[in-house]
Amino acid sequence: MSEQDYHIDTLAIHAGQEPDPATGAIMTPIFQSSTFVQEAPNQHKGYEYSRSGNPTRAALEANVAAIEGGQYGLAFSSGLAAIDTIVRLLKPGDHVIVGNDVYGGTFRLFDKIYQRYGLEFSWIDQSDLEAVKAAFKPNTRLLWLETPTNPLLALGDIAALAESAPQDVLVGVDNTFASPYIQQPLTMGADIVMHSSTKYLNGHSDAVGGLLAMKDESLYTELKFLQNAAGAVPGPMDCFLVMRGIKTLGVRMERHSENAMKIAQMLEDHPEIVKVYYPGLESHPQHELAKRQMKLFGGMVSIILKSEAIAKTMVTRTKLFALAESLGGVESLIEHPYSMTHASTADTDIAVDPALVRLSVGIENVDDLINDLRQALHND
Ligand code: P1T
């Protein structure tokens, strides 16, 4: 049986990882070494210097390629470093189409940094296929999608959007919110998949990292050159932690999704809640697409409360849901995007609603989580 035939839960545990030939250690060793001894100049065992390559990182890179249904993987020191490396493929004068609901840090990178270097960005509602089609220009080189989006959980139809892109436009998908257990954009026509591995892939909130996966060898060669030349690489310990986290991705995503669905249903019926965003709810405008494109609906739920003040009070009242940025760990988190993760979008066309609260539903007992949210919403 070749690796190609294994299911994602099996690949998550085994791909890229062989018992250590020297010791038999079943876990990939943490090669905490910056450099590698050479027998003669350029005569070595495949590794020279840990910015260009490290065996622990190589195992993670092979693993992410396999679980995303790609051929090649690359690891970075953060999710933003991974996106930054993709943007370095472009040159001044190039045009990028980006969804109009994205992580605030992605917006900041594009709007506050790369615009200064002569790149042009159009912020388009990616759930509107015709609007995206109309936004392509002769100089468009990248279509950047996030699906589901952060924080409003809107979907882009990956296959239809990838199909609509002209030949010379790279289609990149930030798959952080779904994870490859739920959807594999490379199998739907995307050219590059990106992760903030800080989130579901790591799953335990103990490392910051980014990952890319792709099928095309020349694209990989260009990105690998940039990875080494710009140098935003992760350390071996962090690679080990992400790899260990990925092993349980499937069971965690099942539980995150099950818990999030029950919480979304409870919130939808709650008198203090104005609106619930969750792709698993029938009220989600793209529920049919979600059923088609996603294996599960994921662990992220966003809600609109009656005012900014009520939203800010709620996030300080929960006891199990910790008030913190980030998401995708086993523990539940709650946050106020307007003043926290998406503060960089304030006063722009893509600013988020001040009454919005975002939940990263963990894998604790769901009744405990529901009781925690109920007491935080209690109107006394
Ligand atoms: O934080 P970092 O590993 O650099 O990843 C950035 C990033 C990229 N894409 C998406 C969809 C993300 O959610 C993030 C990081 N997001 C948070 C920290 C957050 O709380 O939303």
Side-chain angles (χ1 to χ4, degrees):
M1 204 171 174
S2 84
E3 212 169 69
Q4 247 68 31
D5 299 321
Y6 289 129
H7 294 91
I8 182 169
D9 342 41
T10 308
L11 293 172
I13 294 168
H14 295 288
Q17 297 162 72
E18 296 292 335
D20 178 43
T23 62
I26 196 156
M27 292 299 287
T28 304
I30 302 163
F31 286 95
Q32 195 75 43
S33 187
S34 58
T35 193
F36 299 85
V37 175
Q38 311 196 8
E39 281 163 39
N42 294 319
Q43 217 178 303
H44 51 73
K45 298 182 167 67
Y47 296 96
E48 301 155 74
Y49 182 61
S50 278
R51 174 163 33 73
S52 17
N54 173 286
T56 316
R57 193 175 95 208
L60 171 62
E61 292 177 336
N63 187 269
V64 72
I67 62 175
E68 278 292 1
Q71 290 294 325
Y72 306 99
L74 289 167
F76 296 86
S77 53
S78 70
L80 282 177
I83 301 176
D84 178 80
T85 304
I86 294 173
V87 182
R88 286 169 193 269
L89 293 167
L90 309 180
K91 58 179 190 325
D94 286 350
H95 173 244
V96 180
I97 300 176
V98 197
N100 63 358
D101 180 43
V102 287
Y103 170 54
T106 305
F107 170 77
R108 186 175 53 208
L109 177 68
F110 290 173
D111 186 66
K112 303 285 188 296
I113 299 183
Y114 277 106
Q115 199 156 260
R116 280 201 271 130
Y117 287 82
L119 292 181
E120 190 194 342
F121 295 91
S122 297
W123 304 89
I124 309 290
D125 176 1
Q126 62 174 21
S127 62
D128 183 346
L129 182 61
E130 293 311 312
V132 173
K133 279 186 184 164
F136 286 108
K137 299 184 189 189
N139 59 336
T140 307
R141 291 290 169 272
L142 176 66
L143 170 61
W144 188 251
L145 308 171
E146 205 181 272
T147 179
T149 60
N150 181 358
L152 290 182
L153 299 153
L155 269 49
D157 184 333
I158 300 170
L161 287 159
E163 177 74 32
S164 77
Q167 202 62 38
D168 55 355
V169 175
L170 277 176
V171 178
V173 178
D174 183 333
N175 202 22
T176 300
F177 265 38
S179 92
Y181 188 73
I182 288 184
Q183 68 191 15
Q184 294 174 310
L186 295 179
T187 66
M188 304 175 199
D191 299 303
I192 312 178
V193 171
M194 172 264 154
H195 283 278
S196 167
S197 52
T198 320
K199 312 296 168 5
Y200 287 107
L201 295 186
N202 171 290
H204 297 75
S205 308
D206 53 14
V208 170
L211 291 169
L212 298 180
M214 64 231 86
K215 286 182 169 173
D216 184 75
E217 189 179 356
S218 62
L219 182 59
Y220 167 68
T221 306
E222 276 184 82
L223 286 163
K224 183 158 177 55
F225 166 80
L226 289 167
Q227 180 198 40
N228 181 48
V233 293
M237 178 73 195
D238 284 358
C239 292
F240 174 88
L241 289 170
V242 176
M243 234 176 338
R244 184 170 69 163
I246 289 174
K247 287 177 193 290
T248 56
L249 180 69
V251 286
R252 285 187 287 107
M253 293 317 297
E254 295 280 352
R255 181 66 172 263
H256 281 296
S257 302
E258 192 186 315
N259 282 1
M261 185 70 185
K262 288 185 182 152
I263 285 175
Q265 285 167 336
M266 180 281 283
L267 291 168
E268 201 166 42
D269 291 337
H270 199 287
E272 292 300 310
I273 305 293
V274 176
K275 193 172 164 94
V276 180
Y277 298 92
Y278 185 64
L281 292 177
E282 278 180 22
S283 59
H284 189 283
Q286 294 159 296
H287 182 59
E288 290 308 313
L289 172 61
K291 284 198 285 189
R292 203 165 70 235
Q293 183 164 280
M294 303 169 75
K295 182 172 160 192
L296 301 167
F297 302 117
M300 299 301 295
V301 180
S302 286
I303 50 181
I304 303 273
L305 287 105
K306 288 179 184 161
S307 71
E308 177 176 4
I310 295 174
K312 280 185 153 168
T313 304
M314 181 196 175
V315 299
T316 57
R317 276 195 187 171
T318 50
K319 297 186 173 105
L320 272 176
F321 279 83
L323 175 58
E325 303 203 4
S326 203
L327 58 114
V330 290
E331 63 287 303
S332 293
L333 300 180
I334 190 165
E335 66 118 3
H336 181 239
Y338 183 77
S339 60
M340 295 171 67
T341 52
H342 290 70
S344 62
T345 65
D347 304 322
T348 71
D349 291 346
I350 71 162
V352 295
D353 189 327
L356 183 77
V357 165
R358 191 189 73 183
L359 306 173
S360 172
V361 178
I363 64 170
E364 299 95 335
N365 181 287
V366 72
D367 294 332
D368 293 339
L369 294 177
I370 286 177
N371 287 339
D372 190 35
L373 292 171
R374 282 215 173 103
Q375 66 79 26
L377 287 166
H378 190 66
N379 192 5
D380 50 21

